[in-house]
Amino acid sequence: MEQTVRQAAELAKQASVDLGTTTGEQRNAALFAMAKALREQTPAIIAANDADMAAAREKGTSAPLLDRLMLDEGRIAGIASALEDLAALPDPLGVIQQERTLDSGVSLQRVSVPMGVVAMVYEARPNVTADAAGICIKTGNACILRGGSLAINSCLAIADVLHDAAVSAGMPKNCIIPVRTTDRSATDDLLKMRGLVDLLIPRGGAGLIQHCIANATVPVIETGVGNCHVYVHAPADIEMARRIIMNAKTQRPGVCNAIESLLVDREFANDLLTAVLPDLAGAGVVIHGDEAAQAAGAAVGVDVIPATEEDWGTEYLDLEISVKAVEGPEEAIAHINRYGTNHSECIVTQDEAAAERFLAQVDASSVYWNASTRFTDGGEFGLGAEIGISTQKLHARGPFALEALCSYKYLLRGTGQVRG
Amino acid sequence: MEQTVRQAAELAKQASVDLGTTTGEQRNAALFAMAKALREQTPAIIAANDADMAAAREKGTSAPLLDRLMLDEGRIAGIASALEDLAALPDPLGVIQQERTLDSGVSLQRVSVPMGVVAMVYEARPNVTADAAGICIKTGNACILRGGSLAINSCLAIADVLHDAAVSAGMPKNCIIPVRTTDRSATDDLLKMRGLVDLLIPRGGAGLIQHCIANATVPVIETGVGNCHVYVHAPADIEMARRIIMNAKTQRPGVCNAIESLLVDREFANDLLTAVLPDLAGAGVVIHGDEAAQAAGAAVGVDVIPATEEDWGTEYLDLEISVKAVEGPEEAIAHINRYGTNHSECIVTQDEAAAERFLAQVDASSVYWNASTRFTDGGEFGLGAEIGISTQKLHARGPFALEALCSYKYLLRGTGQVRG
């Protein structure tokens, strides 16, 4: 296995050298060819997906997971359109970021360049195959795509269609390489391909991400785990707070920018919670709370399960929330910095000084004042695409896309200068 | 030990919250106070250094290493001045990098912020203690400084002087934390402080750097290993080539931006090498070469040791070089991308098209046309400082300083917006 992944990485590295000198026009033409091929090969891709779906059903896979796995004509058309949307974005390569003449007379330019080889490790979402391949072609990177075993047939079918279309449109052979085995050791081999893999991005559950971080020797961008909070600080507009809390918790509870925890000033807890807890309970949200939350629940006839220490650190990803009273901004900020995952955090208040302190001191990719955490998204932020949401601070933070798949290099042109 | 390093990391994390909201003026005042305290405490620092020097001499430490370890009044004054130079640089924090209004009306800003906690792992260079502490204060980061055992007394003395001066000038307690043990497990504990250490930078030999990369779960910037090449492609000015090769190899052979290998077009090899090999031999450089180099050496009476496969991948860091003939740019680029360490690479030629191809396709932080690789340096590149030279492509590449110790966050201010 080691050898197979190493061979794939070596082929990708070779491809990356030629990819790095393609023009933006050539890469956009490849994206259009890839979109066209996806549409044309729809029946073959659906047939491959049918095989995955049948195997998944046999294994008793849950309905939401089956839904993520499923491809139909409409979804494939959507994936193809997303490739064309990428083509419309400005070329991220060859941008002169800095330019100066050194004291010696050597001219220096700092220019954006591809990363080289990007490896994507993901779970049962066949669309990630196309999203990742597209964004890598746009940024001149060769990619190695390691999809989950549940989606293996769909991923291979999509990757092969995209590779062949890209090559026909002038991209180098092996610019897109799917890992053809479902053997788990292939992921571990990929994590160690230092010198061949320039960047690895895991996308999936916390288990996959932690495994990659703990074992990788190649550079990794940590993505996605979101233990997000709304903190309500008096004075606050209770109707605004209700709206934001309900949206952030219930609009799509399974995503990383949904909130898992509600903090409120102790003095304001009864006012807020007697209004909000019935909303949450009415939407089917299971509530874990401290004593203040339990008291407010009791006052309005809402069940509140006593929260444990574990609840503060739990990303439920479901209709479930923890609720806690705090003494004020200092305790709220400390709690969030301790239990949060540096993803998206919100304060609801009319107190500008407290809001600005929260914005400054909460250590998260995206910090909100009076708006729902659900906006943390590449599309919403105007990036034009998204490959993940980074919860680390190195290189990329928050939603990331084209810019994060580029590095830079210094080009120095002289006339024989040496250092004195 | 685990507990001690964890405690240090937790204290640093706490300090980082307050550091992140200091003003540039406050941080600059701290840098001046640190410089002043270093000058005032010079005798105590020299006394600590004397203890390190005595222990090092007893161990039979080599003269160059003793020289790196040694502090005197002049060197301490130089370290102090460097802190004042940092104060003169623009504030890297709070820079609004992007600003837009989302479709929902939420205002978005992307603002530069500190990394949080930066850990520095280095060897027997006491000056790194002050350089790292200074650059971290400038960028609002708390730092954990893990110096080598040979310099432990000097490092602790410097770190304590700097910490106390910074705190007196208004920085939070524990903004600078030296690791007080020489136990090796402290480094390994530091490498695993995910969630507390936001960035780890190893500086030292290849062994230290590889150990950090292989074992870290915190984000790391790989620094420093430089297997650098000069490639001479005909037509080339032989005098310019001689000057660049001699400068890049012999001016300071122990540093990472010195070259280790010379490549030359086969058809041009005899012309170039019969001129250059006597220069190199005259400067005491040991030459390892392929058959073409051996033939040229024989023609001018210079000893050329037959090169082995191992030579192409060796960073000698000494007066030693490998020499090889290649068929042309394609082979030269492939050789460099295979054996190089992505540091600094140079082509000497009058052929502009070949030079531009080399600049585009060689995968290194700094690629030169007709200038010495010795210019790869934060000061030379105009960064105003340098904390290391990155040989990876994530986040920072080439010489890096203030910018690399900053991250960014998204600040979103709304009026109650929720996602539809």
Side-chain angles (χ1 to χ4, degrees):
Chain A
M1 204 69 288
E2 153 75 21
Q3 203 176 6
T4 309
V5 169
R6 175 164 292 277
Q7 283 165 348
E10 279 170 356
L11 292 171
K13 196 69 171 182
Q14 280 167 31
S16 75
V17 176
D18 290 324
L19 256 175
T21 50
T22 53
T23 65
E25 225 167 55
Q26 290 168 326
R27 281 177 272 113
N28 288 339
L31 289 168
F32 279 108
M34 289 157 70
K36 185 159 173 275
L38 270 188
R39 291 199 187 92
E40 287 172 0
Q41 305 288 321
T42 295
I45 293 168
I46 289 179
N49 185 247
D50 284 344
D52 286 335
M53 291 291 287
R57 279 198 204 90
E58 204 154 302
K59 280 188 188 158
T61 304
S62 72
L65 211 63
L66 282 176
D67 181 59
R68 279 190 202 167
L69 184 57
M70 192 269 290
L71 292 175
D72 58 19
E73 211 166 311
R75 286 188 178 181
I76 294 172
I79 293 170
S81 299
L83 293 173
E84 290 164 345
D85 292 346
L86 276 176
L89 295 174
D91 187 358
L93 301 180
V95 177
I96 297 172
Q97 302 171 336
Q98 294 176 15
E99 200 160 19
R100 70 176 69 93
T101 302
L102 308 189
D103 292 341
S104 57
V106 173
S107 104
L108 172 150
Q109 286 184 327
R110 195 178 107 167
V111 179
S112 62
V113 298
M115 275 286 164
V117 176
V118 175
M120 200 77 196
V121 178
Y122 52 102
E123 292 178 339
R125 289 175 179 270
N127 64 303
V128 174
T129 304
D131 293 351
I135 211 164
C136 283
I137 290 294
K138 179 74 185 182
T139 50
N141 289 292
C143 61
I144 302 175
L145 304 172
R146 203 295 189 256
S149 56
L150 219 51
I152 184 75
N153 292 296
S154 318
C155 291
L156 291 179
I158 293 172
D160 288 341
V161 165
L162 295 178
H163 174 266
D164 294 350
V167 171
S168 299
M171 297 294 108
K173 205 161 175 285
N174 299 311
C175 56
I176 300 166
I177 302 186
V179 175
R180 297 196 175 272
T181 170
T182 57
D183 193 321
R184 272 161 189 256
S185 70
T187 300
D188 291 333
D189 293 343
L190 206 46
L191 296 173
K192 307 285 186 195
M193 289 295 140
R194 200 157 179 101
L196 293 174
V197 170
D198 296 291
L199 172 61
L200 184 135
I201 303 171
R203 274 191 63 179
L208 173 73
I209 292 165
Q210 291 310 315
H211 179 79
C212 289
I213 288 164
N215 294 287
T217 59
V218 301
V220 173
I221 296 181
E222 181 175 6
T223 64
V225 178
N227 186 19
C228 307
H229 303 71
V230 165
Y231 164 49
V232 182
H233 171 61
D237 176 338
I238 288 193
E239 290 313 307
M240 185 197 287
R242 289 170 78 165
R243 197 163 67 238
I244 288 175
I245 292 163
M246 287 302 287
N247 181 257
K249 179 66 251 179
T250 67
Q251 192 223 6
R252 235 184 125 189
V255 296
C256 58
N257 60 17
I259 63 165
E260 310 293 348
S261 204
L262 169 63
L263 305 177
V264 56
D265 287 343
R266 188 171 301 283
E267 59 174 54
F268 194 59
N270 199 56
D271 290 357
L272 180 82
L273 296 180
T274 52
V276 168
L277 295 186
D279 293 350
L280 288 166
V285 177
V286 174
I287 301 164
H288 305 258
D290 67 356
E291 284 178 15
Q294 291 166 44
V300 290
V302 169
D303 278 347
V304 175
I305 304 166
T308 64
E309 170 69 17
E310 207 192 330
D311 281 303
W312 310 130
T314 298
E315 187 190 20
Y316 301 112
L317 288 173
D318 208 340
L319 288 173
E320 210 163 343
I321 196 169
S322 62
V323 181
K324 183 181 166 67
V326 294
E327 296 310 321
E330 184 164 348
E331 187 183 346
I333 292 168
H335 179 93
I336 291 170
N337 285 343
R338 176 164 177 196
Y339 294 102
T341 52
N342 313 108
H343 195 297
S344 298
E345 303 293 348
C346 169
I347 184 170
V348 177
T349 187
Q350 299 305 318
D351 175 349
E352 181 173 350
E356 290 300 331
R357 181 181 172 187
F358 186 90
L359 290 168
Q361 294 202 327
V362 166
D363 189 16
S365 86
S366 308
V367 193
Y368 292 83
W369 174 23
N370 290 346
S372 170
T373 56
R374 289 277 297 112
F375 288 109
T376 303
D377 171 272
E380 293 286 338
F381 277 19
L383 305 186
E386 181 186 296
I387 196 76
I389 295 177
S390 166
T391 54
Q392 71 179 37
K393 286 184 263 188
L394 196 72
H395 189 67
R397 197 175 197 197
F400 64 99
L402 303 188
E403 189 191 356
L405 294 193
C406 297
S407 181
Y408 56 79
K409 83 205 287 190
Y410 290 97
L411 303 180
L412 299 110
R413 297 177 178 90
T415 51
Q417 286 88 347
V418 298
R419 190 155 168 196
Chain B
M1 204 68 290
E2 154 75 20
Q3 203 178 6
T4 308
V5 169
R6 173 165 293 277
Q7 283 165 348
E10 279 169 356
L11 292 171
K13 195 70 171 179
Q14 280 167 30
S16 75
V17 177
D18 290 324
L19 256 175
T21 51
T22 53
T23 65
E25 223 167 56
Q26 289 169 327
R27 282 177 272 113
N28 288 339
L31 289 168
F32 278 109
M34 290 157 70
K36 184 159 173 275
L38 270 189
R39 290 198 188 92
E40 287 171 0
Q41 304 288 322
T42 295
I45 293 169
I46 289 178
N49 186 248
D50 284 343
D52 285 334
M53 289 292 286
R57 277 197 205 92
E58 204 154 303
K59 280 188 189 159
T61 303
S62 71
L65 211 64
L66 283 176
D67 181 59
R68 280 190 200 166
L69 185 57
M70 192 270 290
L71 291 174
D72 57 20
E73 211 166 310
R75 286 190 177 180
I76 293 172
I79 293 170
S81 300
L83 293 173
E84 290 164 345
D85 292 345
L86 276 176
L89 295 173
D91 187 358
L93 300 180
V95 177
I96 297 172
Q97 301 170 337
Q98 295 176 16
E99 200 160 18
R100 69 175 71 92
T101 302
L102 307 189
D103 292 341
S104 56
V106 174
S107 103
L108 173 149
Q109 286 184 327
R110 195 177 109 167
V111 179
S112 62
V113 298
M115 274 286 163
V117 176
V118 175
M120 198 77 196
V121 178
Y122 52 102
E123 293 180 337
R125 289 175 179 270
N127 63 304
V128 174
T129 304
D131 294 351
I135 212 163
C136 284
I137 290 294
K138 179 75 187 182
T139 51
N141 290 292
C143 62
I144 302 176
L145 303 172
R146 200 302 188 251
S149 57
L150 218 53
I152 185 75
N153 292 296
S154 317
C155 292
L156 291 179
I158 293 172
D160 289 342
V161 166
L162 295 179
H163 173 267
D164 294 350
V167 172
S168 299
M171 297 294 107
K173 206 162 173 285
N174 299 311
C175 56
I176 299 166
I177 303 185
V179 175
R180 296 195 176 274
T181 169
T182 57
D183 193 321
R184 272 162 188 254
S185 70
T187 301
D188 291 333
D189 293 343
L190 207 46
L191 297 174
K192 306 285 186 195
M193 288 296 141
R194 198 153 182 103
L196 293 173
V197 170
D198 296 291
L199 172 61
L200 184 135
I201 303 172
R203 274 191 63 177
L208 173 73
I209 292 165
Q210 290 311 315
H211 179 79
C212 290
I213 288 164
N215 294 287
T217 58
V218 302
V220 173
I221 296 181
E222 181 175 7
T223 63
V225 177
N227 186 18
C228 307
H229 303 71
V230 165
Y231 165 49
V232 182
H233 171 62
D237 175 337
I238 288 194
E239 289 314 306
M240 184 197 288
R242 289 170 77 165
R243 197 163 67 238
I244 289 174
I245 292 163
M246 288 301 288
N247 181 257
K249 179 66 253 179
T250 68
Q251 192 222 7
R252 238 186 122 188
V255 296
C256 58
N257 60 17
I259 63 164
E260 309 294 348
S261 203
L262 168 63
L263 305 178
V264 56
D265 287 342
R266 188 171 301 282
E267 59 174 55
F268 195 58
N270 198 57
D271 289 356
L272 180 81
L273 296 180
T274 51
V276 168
L277 295 185
D279 293 350
L280 289 166
V285 178
V286 174
I287 301 164
H288 306 257
D290 67 355
E291 285 177 15
Q294 291 165 44
V300 290
V302 169
D303 278 347
V304 175
I305 305 165
T308 64
E309 170 69 16
E310 207 192 330
D311 281 303
W312 311 130
T314 298
E315 187 189 20
Y316 301 112
L317 288 172
D318 208 340
L319 288 173
E320 210 162 344
I321 195 169
S322 63
V323 181
K324 183 181 166 67
V326 294
E327 296 311 319
E330 185 164 349
E331 187 183 346
I333 292 167
H335 180 94
I336 291 169
N337 285 343
R338 175 161 179 200
Y339 294 102
T341 53
N342 312 109
H343 194 297
S344 298
E345 303 293 348
C346 168
I347 184 169
V348 177
T349 187
Q350 300 304 319
D351 174 350
E352 182 173 351
E356 291 300 332
R357 180 181 173 189
F358 187 90
L359 290 169
Q361 296 203 325
V362 166
D363 190 17
S365 86
S366 310
V367 193
Y368 292 83
W369 174 23
N370 291 346
S372 170
T373 56
R374 290 277 297 113
F375 288 109
T376 304
D377 172 272
E380 293 286 336
F381 277 19
L383 305 186
E386 181 186 294
I387 196 75
I389 296 176
S390 165
T391 55
Q392 70 181 36
K393 285 183 265 189
L394 197 72
H395 189 68
R397 196 175 199 198
F400 64 99
L402 303 187
E403 189 192 356
L405 294 191
C406 298
S407 181
Y408 55 81
K409 83 204 287 190
Y410 290 98
L411 303 180
L412 297 111
R413 298 176 178 93
T415 51
Q417 287 86 347
V418 298
R419 189 153 168 199

